[in-house]
Amino acid sequence: MKLTVVGCSGSFPSADSACSCYLIEAEGYRLLLDLGNGALGELQKYTGLYDIDAIVLSHLHPDHFIDMCGYFVARYYRHEGGRCEPIPVYGPAGTEHRLNTAYEDTPDEKSMSEVFDFRTLHHGEVLTPGPLSVEVSRVRHPVEAYGFRVEHRGRVLTYSGDTGPCPEVEELARDADLLLCEAAFTDGKENLPDVHMTGREAGEAARVAGARRLVLTHIPPWTDTGANLRDARAVFDGPVEAARPGAVYTF
């Protein structure tokens, strides 16, 4: 299993990174976790537009899903080769309606579903896209949001999505090889429950879960990444680093 960080900026794109998007590959299968602002352009550095097999959307804030509108254009209006067959798109309830609303001018209300096979996420379910197993858990955010435990041949990647501290993240990350954990807030400055995590809270989650490695992500351009790294390392003894576009992790 291979993880490529396509974009990792929180809330809005930075000068150096698109928003949340992570490419997971295993046995030739390609799964996207999120497709936020600016990510569609960056994605083309790492894979072909028509080589994605499935997409999982953690929640429906623009920095995690809005480039699905551009991806609809690429799949629906493709001239050479004809319109793409629909691929599975797993998301919160109402994902298709939200995309239609955001795009507004689709040929008809069912056009999105001609290239995307929309499937609703549910807490506690286990998805089986291709050779992967993806455990789904509702996490704590102002909108319906999910974290994921992705497994392949005994290796585990956990993605927190956007969330405040919660036992669900710790359970998803239990003995994980890598915890890709959001750290949007700064400890002592923005400790707001059920919104986002700080670097310290991400480190504590990794420690409690027994994760082997922690990668902080979803850090907004106005947040001090160095401070969040120091806070995480103060409470977690394993390797800690900040996500960066183009970084590759192989399990």
Side-chain angles (χ1 to χ4, degrees):
M1 180 165 59
K2 182 172 79 170
L3 164 68
T4 301
V5 178
V6 178
C8 55
S9 184
S11 299
F12 58 94
S14 72
D16 302 311
S17 178
C19 285
S20 296
C21 184
Y22 309 95
L23 173 64
I24 297 174
E25 299 173 84
E27 300 180 35
Y29 191 91
R30 295 177 177 88
L31 173 71
L32 277 189
L33 296 179
D34 288 337
L35 191 59
N37 313 37
L40 185 63
E42 293 298 301
L43 179 64
Q44 295 170 70
K45 295 178 180 178
Y46 311 109
T47 187
L49 279 176
Y50 308 112
D51 295 329
I52 301 301
D53 295 295
I55 301 172
V56 177
L57 301 174
S58 64
H59 66 292
L60 300 181
H61 277 156
D63 56 327
H64 291 261
F65 92 99
I66 201 64
D67 269 25
M68 288 289 294
C69 290
Y71 196 38
F72 163 74
V73 172
R75 296 185 67 83
Y76 189 88
Y77 293 104
R78 183 175 68 162
H79 178 71
E80 187 173 350
R83 184 174 300 162
C84 297
E85 292 296 315
I87 61 170
V89 174
Y90 302 88
T95 295
E96 181 178 8
H97 174 73
R98 185 68 177 276
L99 279 169
N100 276 321
T101 301
Y103 193 87
E104 188 178 20
D105 194 31
T106 56
D108 61 60
E109 63 180 12
K110 292 299 183 183
S111 295
M112 285 277 180
S113 62
E114 292 184 43
V115 292
F116 298 136
D117 177 11
F118 291 100
R119 306 180 185 186
T120 301
L121 292 171
H122 299 283
H123 174 75
E125 72 177 329
V126 177
L127 313 176
T128 55
L132 302 168
S133 171
V134 182
E135 182 180 342
V136 179
S137 187
R138 181 81 180 261
V139 292
R140 299 182 184 178
H141 202 49
V143 300
E144 181 182 350
Y146 295 91
F148 307 102
R149 179 184 176 93
V150 184
E151 298 191 42
H152 179 256
R153 294 189 176 181
R155 298 298 185 179
V156 177
L157 160 68
T158 298
Y159 174 45
S160 70
D162 279 14
T163 180
C166 61
E168 290 80 5
V169 170
E170 296 165 6
E171 183 59 29
L172 287 173
R174 179 176 33 84
D175 298 325
D177 294 280
L178 188 151
L179 169 56
L180 182 62
C181 190
E182 76 116 286
F185 283 168
T186 303
D187 191 55
K189 177 184 175 185
E190 303 158 306
N191 297 81
L192 303 176
D194 302 339
V195 182
H196 290 297
M197 298 175 73
T198 66
R200 183 180 184 87
E201 290 164 341
E204 289 172 342
R207 175 177 53 79
V208 171
R212 295 176 180 83
R213 187 175 194 174
L214 173 62
V215 177
L216 302 182
T217 193
H218 197 271
I219 300 176
W222 54 44
T223 296
D224 184 346
T225 299
N228 282 12
L229 284 169
R230 289 192 295 272
D231 289 344
R233 289 168 178 154
V235 294
F236 177 63
D237 292 334
V240 182
E241 62 194 274
R244 58 178 179 79
V248 174
Y249 303 90
T250 303
F251 309 90

